[in-house]
Amino acid sequence: MENVKVVENGVEARREIERFVSQGFTKDEIYLLAHDEKRSEDLTDNLDINDIGIGEQGVFESMANIFRTRGDELRAKLESLGASNAEAEQYEKELDLGKVVVVASKVN
């Protein structure tokens, strides 16, 4: 999967978001994931980018997330943006370590 950056914190995430914008992505095409749901929401709000939701995953997958563990939910969200199963698992391991994943994708 192209256009994915694993970063340590919000400062690095902002830098990668700016880089993706300079490459022609809009903020509507940039997504951020953190293993801690509150951290993910806070960073997404503070950096003014999108959460991965119904538009990217579809209604069924979004509803299924209610019943999934956080790790399963994160892998499903990554796959909805084009990651293979193996890539999603690798990125989820990075998230387990407290890292943040920034993805630029023209899924819509």
Side-chain angles (χ1 to χ4, degrees), residues 40-49:
S40 188
E41 290 172 6
D42 289 347
L43 286 170
T44 298
D45 290 345
N46 289 330
L47 297 172
D48 191 31
I49 57 172

Side-chain angles (χ1 to χ4, degrees), residues 24-40:
F25 289 96
T26 67
K27 285 198 171 185
D28 289 339
E29 298 168 325
I30 301 171
Y31 306 90
L32 180 144
L33 293 162
H35 203 284
D36 179 84
E37 196 166 356
K38 176 76 170 126
R39 182 179 184 206
S40 188

Side-chain angles (χ1 to χ4, degrees), residues 42-99:
D42 289 347
L43 286 170
T44 298
D45 290 345
N46 289 330
L47 297 172
D48 191 31
I49 57 172
N50 284 326
D51 188 19
I52 301 166
I54 292 174
E56 295 76 26
Q57 286 193 292
V59 174
F60 177 75
E61 284 294 315
S62 292
M63 294 297 290
N65 284 339
I66 295 169
F67 304 103
R68 291 180 172 143
T69 65
R70 181 67 174 156
D72 290 344
E73 176 186 352
L74 291 168
R75 285 189 299 278
K77 286 182 175 190
L78 286 162
E79 288 174 12
S80 75
L81 295 175
S84 69
N85 189 313
E87 289 171 324
E89 284 184 24
Q90 182 57 43
Y91 291 127
E92 202 264 327
K93 286 178 185 175
E94 296 286 345
L95 293 167
D96 283 343
L97 298 172
K99 306 237 171 119

